Amino acid sequence: MKLSPDKRIDLRDVLDGLEDYRPRRKGWHWRTPAPDHKVGPFTYRNASEDLKNSVALPAAHAFGAIDPQCDFVITTEIASGRFEDDIRRMRMAAWHGADHLMVIRTTGQSHIDGLIEGTPEGIGGIPVTRKQLRATRKALDAMEDEVGRPINFHSYVSGLAGPEMAVLFSEEGVNGAHQDPQYNVLYRGINMHRSFVDAAEAKKVMADGGILQIDGAHNANATAKEAWKVTPELLVQHAINTAYSRAAGMAAENIALSTVPPTAPPAPKLRLDLPYAVALRDLFKGYRMRAQQNTRYVESDTTEATVTHVLDTLISRLAGADIQSTITPDEGRNIPWHYNTIAGTNTARQTLMGLDGLTDQVKLDMDGELPELAREIKERAILMMEEILDMGGYYAAVEAGQFVDSGHYPERHGDGIARDPAGGSGAGTVVKRAPRYGAPVCSHFGDNVFKDGDCKAYGGCSLCNPDKIRYVDELDPLDNVGERLKVPLDERDRGILRPEVERHGDGMVCVTLFVPAPPDVAEAAAIDMALHMNLKNPEVISKRVLHPAEGSVFEIKGVLDVYIDTAFLTLPTKVDLIPDADIEAWVRPRHIHAVAATVGEDEHSVGLREILNIKHGGVERFGLKCHDLGTSISVTRLLDEAERTGARVVLMSTIVTHADVHKKNMRRLADEATARGLRERLVLVAGGTQVTDEMAKECGLDAGFGRGTKGRDVGSFLVRELQRRGN
Ligand code: Z98
């Protein structure tokens, strides 16, 4: 399957021939570092190799449209709840520099006790299935070719089907996964013994498949009432999972700790979070760090979420990290929307590029309070670990509610998560392995009469011989991707467009409005206004009081139930602009003069000045010699000055339109220039809010520029026109 940058991905191609599709590669991929990497005018210190195709950051145009890539892997969590929509979102994310795409299903995967086939949505969201994984991996393989960088696909190995999930992931080329038996125990109420036995098997399979593991310590941070007090326990959780993973055969470089800065402003964030980061990096040298924003503080205000994300990323750069996970800034208000997934990704790459080389100039002060504070966190963690051992081990400690207690260890508040070691889902299901137990597979934890590779004698196992995999397409005739895609594909074929943010054609839009009244009145009024805009099911997703009496600003989502048939759209003709540097290179050495004025009785000079003035990016900066005659100038005077200065260009600005005076003046300029024998020599251009190119041409001029015109539009036109005339 090959993607073409100017075409939308065709989901039919993705789904076609899936039964025979095999992932091209397995295992995790780190970015290829590119030290002292030159991109455009800059040399980067923390960069990786460039992409083949991408969308650059907005300000990149000022630096020659560069799109440097940072050294960290950038993650985005893709969670529309439908893999067919996730795939399109992944492609956009990959073009914005994300190379670790985590798919979390809208249903809690850990609540499912087996593997499910097909692509059902069912109730409560969709589970992970082989077909979805395979389709996604196939699409990602094509996206890798398109952007020119390997993309890591990630999901979650948890719940009672954890080991089965690990095998499935290894078979289907999933490159990273969360795995932490403590997650099952604490948050999903799964039996402890079962969780740890399953984890050993899952981790072995992940280790053999080169899958990067991310642990689950961050969940304590997101769950605890006072997250900044849970830091010693976070170190303990990391330690338990890391040691257990090593014992199961996982290499240190495939173990990533899931670190989350514990606070967010208005807390004194860096003062609290930096010592924690330092303690963590110090205690877990040699392991990878996956840094993620703390979801706990993501409210409905996307700007606030973005600022915290930037500060988190600053900590990652200062303290070191390998993966910067992004949280979409709208997590706190809805299923992440397409464009907010990209916004989160951009926040990370924009911040990281901006911080390039920071640690060459700024160092953490290791002679001040920082190491003392870090040491205190480590001491508390070690005390906690000792007490766990005294209590009889992990199971006993969990039973006693030691974990996710809101007290700052050794202080305890008695509000931790307590679980019964003999209870929970799957209790009593662990069976002792019989003597001479044998499983002829390539990857298996513990006693096994077959050695790794012995499965060849039986024709191979599904990990080394994918032909052994039984691919089940769909089981439910109604609840499957084929049915779900009927309407979207049909609309696509017919050229029908609707706005969307979660799923294909959901019609969802968001409007922002300020209402000048106290909050309650303002909110009721805002909803009414949204109804007047014909938005269905309007819902306030963010409100911010700007002043308790003066007013509030609201963001309202709703469904705009209209569609656009692209067959009836008239598209404006697109002009390719000449790059600024090329305009200047042509204009400056030629010493070209231009006269400019607002004509007739028109005192509106702002627009013209924006077009001329160097400060506003006007044509002056290309070296055009501009003579601004001012306002309310007659056409005759304009042409007199053009003759006197030897100008090649006349720029007339005309805003006033009553009685079509703007058109009259345009015609007058063309006619008088012709009568005076100047028409051949002069390029005549009009500009103004109501002016269009067609109108200007009808009136005998060479070009017209309307609202939104910038100096580079005019500059680009002038160069082409003067070149056309052979100058
Ligand atoms: C993240 N934002 O990716 P269910 N195991 C671990 C987890 O952290 C999670 C799951 C399993 C977070 C996403 N984390 C939340 C260690 C989820 C998923 O049962 O499918 O929800 O488990 O860091």
Side-chain angles (χ1 to χ4, degrees):
M1 198 177 95
K2 199 168 159 12
L3 296 172
S4 162
D6 56 350
K7 287 211 180 69
R8 288 194 283 179
I9 190 165
D10 192 331
L11 290 162
R12 280 167 289 223
D13 292 346
V14 176
L15 294 170
D16 190 35
L18 273 186
E19 59 280 6
D20 298 319
Y21 195 76
R22 305 281 179 255
R24 296 194 301 203
R25 63 181 183 87
K26 291 193 179 180
W28 182 262
H29 183 272
W30 296 105
R31 290 187 180 189
T32 312
D36 294 325
H37 188 47
K38 219 175 148 5
V39 189
F42 308 113
T43 302
Y44 290 88
R45 308 220 175 128
N46 306 124
S48 58
E49 283 178 352
D50 299 341
L51 292 184
K52 234 163 57 185
N53 281 303
S54 69
V55 179
L57 286 167
H61 73 82
F63 310 105
I66 53 172
D67 191 14
Q69 301 293 311
C70 62
D71 50 354
F72 292 180
V73 165
I74 293 186
T75 311
T76 172
E77 206 165 17
I78 306 262
S80 77
R82 281 184 181 172
F83 80 97
E84 62 268 30
D85 289 312
D86 286 349
I87 285 174
R88 294 181 296 131
R89 193 180 290 211
M90 286 174 175
R91 190 178 182 205
M92 297 187 254
W95 275 62
H96 286 260
D99 53 344
H100 178 207
L101 304 178
M102 297 198 305
V103 171
I104 188 153
R105 297 303 174 197
T106 49
T107 187
Q109 187 70 34
S110 324
H111 295 309
I112 298 171
D113 60 4
L115 295 186
I116 293 180
E117 303 285 357
T119 57
E121 270 205 305
I123 295 167
I126 45 169
V128 172
T129 68
R130 184 184 301 280
K131 181 168 176 181
Q132 291 162 5
L133 293 179
R134 197 173 280 190
T136 309
R137 186 64 261 181
K138 180 179 173 192
L140 287 175
D141 286 349
M143 289 174 212
E144 289 187 348
D145 291 339
E146 193 179 33
V147 298
R149 176 162 71 198
I151 295 173
N152 296 299
F153 180 25
H154 182 110
S155 199
Y156 299 74
V157 169
S158 58
L160 285 172
E164 290 89 332
M165 207 63 98
V167 172
L168 175 67
F169 285 6
S170 189
E171 287 168 348
E172 298 299 335
V174 175
N175 316 87
H178 277 63
Q179 210 304 310
D180 192 335
Q182 298 163 101
Y183 178 83
N184 287 350
V185 172
L186 295 171
Y187 309 105
R188 293 301 191 211
I190 293 173
N191 175 260
M192 300 180 197
H193 199 47
R194 170 77 189 259
S195 269
F196 275 82
V197 169
D198 279 355
E201 179 68 9
K203 285 176 191 298
K204 174 77 168 82
V205 173
M206 285 169 66
D208 291 346
I211 297 176
L212 183 87
Q213 172 188 268
I214 296 180
D215 68 24
H218 65 282
N219 291 290
N221 214 337
T223 315
K225 290 196 192 87
E226 296 180 312
W228 64 102
K229 293 189 178 164
V230 86
T231 46
E233 174 187 330
L234 298 176
L235 299 185
V236 169
Q237 285 207 22
H238 286 306
I240 291 173
N241 195 53
T242 302
Y244 199 72
S245 307
R246 295 304 299 272
M250 204 172 261
E253 70 258 25
N254 273 354
I255 298 177
L257 274 49
S258 179
T259 93
V260 169
T263 70
K269 182 175 168 62
L270 263 75
R271 184 148 56 78
L272 291 171
D273 295 357
L274 267 178
Y276 168 64
V278 169
L280 181 72
R281 270 70 169 172
D282 198 32
L283 210 53
F284 293 94
K285 277 199 192 78
Y287 293 96
R288 302 285 187 169
M289 298 290 153
R290 180 296 284 248
Q292 184 180 260
Q293 179 170 7
N294 200 333
T295 46
R296 185 189 172 79
Y297 307 111
V298 181
E299 300 288 332
S300 63
D301 189 318
T302 55
T303 312
E304 186 196 27
T306 303
V307 172
T308 302
H309 195 182
V310 171
L311 291 174
D312 284 338
T313 310
L314 172 63
I315 295 174
S316 298
R317 184 44 87 203
L318 283 174
D322 302 281
I323 305 175
Q324 185 64 43
S325 265
T326 67
I327 287 291
T328 56
D330 62 336
E331 278 232 347
R333 55 197 213 178
N334 36 249
I335 288 178
W337 288 359
H338 286 353
Y339 58 83
N340 285 320
T341 299
I342 305 305
T345 307
N346 278 348
T347 304
R349 76 166 163 151
Q350 184 179 345
T351 308
L352 285 165
M353 288 337 296
L355 296 179
D356 185 78
L358 178 75
T359 49
D360 294 337
Q361 295 177 358
V362 175
K363 291 255 182 295
L364 295 177
D365 181 3
M366 296 312 270
D367 297 322
E369 64 175 12
L370 190 54
E372 284 305 312
L373 294 169
R375 184 183 164 85
E376 189 195 314
I377 298 172
K378 285 186 280 186
E379 278 172 358
R380 287 175 189 265
I382 287 161
L383 279 180
M384 185 174 177
M385 195 66 119
E386 281 173 355
E387 194 186 356
I388 291 172
L389 289 174
D390 286 347
M391 291 174 107
Y394 177 78
Y395 293 179
V398 173
E399 189 173 19
Q402 281 286 22
F403 288 87
V404 205
D405 184 293
S406 62
H408 194 198
Y409 192 86
E411 181 190 69
R412 297 283 77 175
H413 285 174
D415 56 358
I417 300 174
R419 302 277 184 203
D420 174 6
S425 306
T429 53
V430 177
V431 182
K432 209 169 162 44
R433 216 165 255 185
R436 293 197 44 76
Y437 170 84
V441 292
C442 273
S443 193
H444 195 35
F445 177 81
D447 294 342
N448 185 7
V449 290
F450 298 99
K451 298 275 162 283
D452 275 3
D454 276 4
C455 61
K456 299 250 169 18
Y458 298 84
C461 68
S462 63
L463 288 172
C464 60
N465 177 8
D467 295 340
K468 291 259 170 187
I469 296 171
R470 211 175 138 229
Y471 179 79
V472 178
D473 195 43
E474 298 282 358
L475 291 174
D476 192 316
L478 298 175
D479 189 6
N480 64 60
V481 64
E483 289 299 307
R484 284 199 299 277
L485 277 179
K486 272 188 184 148
V487 173
L489 289 180
D490 174 59
E491 288 197 347
R492 223 177 229 223
D493 290 345
R494 290 192 291 131
I496 281 176
L497 289 179
R498 298 173 195 274
E500 68 167 69
V501 286
E502 287 173 12
R503 294 168 172 193
H504 180 101
D506 57 26
M508 195 89 80
V509 295
C510 180
V511 292
T512 306
L513 48 151
F514 171 82
V515 186
D520 288 353
V521 176
E523 182 165 346
I527 288 280
D528 244 21
M529 290 170 189
L531 286 167
H532 281 293
M533 286 185 243
N534 274 334
L535 292 190
K536 295 214 165 109
N537 310 322
E539 194 185 314
V540 173
I541 51 172
S542 166
K543 51 183 151 189
R544 201 166 216 210
V545 177
L546 299 195
H547 181 276
E550 296 294 350
S552 294
V553 66
F554 300 91
E555 283 179 272
I556 298 186
K557 73 174 174 188
V559 172
L560 178 68
D561 195 7
V562 297
Y563 67 84
I564 301 296
D565 187 338
T566 47
F568 295 103
L569 285 178
T570 356
L571 303 184
T573 34
K574 237 172 98 188
V575 185
D576 274 340
L577 295 186
I578 303 174
D580 287 6
D582 295 355
I583 301 178
E584 183 170 355
W586 197 84
V587 171
R588 195 171 285 285
R590 288 181 168 74
H591 305 287
I592 301 164
H593 289 252
V595 290
T598 64
V599 292
E601 263 132 51
D602 200 330
E603 285 296 313
H604 302 87
S605 59
V606 176
L608 179 63
R609 301 228 158 101
E610 296 272 325
I611 293 298
L612 299 181
N613 203 279
I614 193 158
K615 165 124 177 43
H616 303 292
V619 286
E620 265 184 354
R621 80 185 153 130
F622 302 124
L624 193 69
K625 310 229 170 295
C626 297
H627 304 272
D628 181 359
L629 309 182
T631 54
S632 302
I633 300 296
S634 70
V635 163
T636 308
R637 166 112 194 271
L638 199 52
L639 290 172
D640 288 349
E641 286 299 313
E643 272 194 296
R644 194 183 64 76
T645 58
R648 298 296 319 276
V649 176
V650 176
L651 302 170
M652 69 162 267
S653 173
T654 171
I655 305 289
V656 177
T657 55
H658 62 251
D660 273 350
V661 65
H662 59 316
K663 292 186 190 165
K664 283 179 195 146
N665 279 326
M666 283 192 243
R667 274 196 201 100
R668 205 170 283 156
L669 179 65
D671 294 346
E672 201 172 319
T674 310
R676 290 166 69 161
L678 298 170
R679 190 66 189 90
E680 274 298 287
R681 170 178 172 76
L682 288 176
V683 181
L684 303 179
V685 175
T689 48
Q690 308 304 317
V691 174
T692 65
D693 193 43
E694 299 74 54
M695 182 196 294
K697 283 179 177 146
E698 271 167 30
C699 296
L701 304 186
D702 296 307
F705 290 90
R707 199 182 285 279
T709 300
K710 299 265 184 289
R712 67 163 58 93
D713 301 299
V714 177
S716 184
F717 164 76
L718 290 177
V719 169
R720 287 207 173 105
E721 179 61 16
L722 288 166
Q723 283 175 343
R724 192 186 63 80
R725 294 185 188 191
N727 305 99

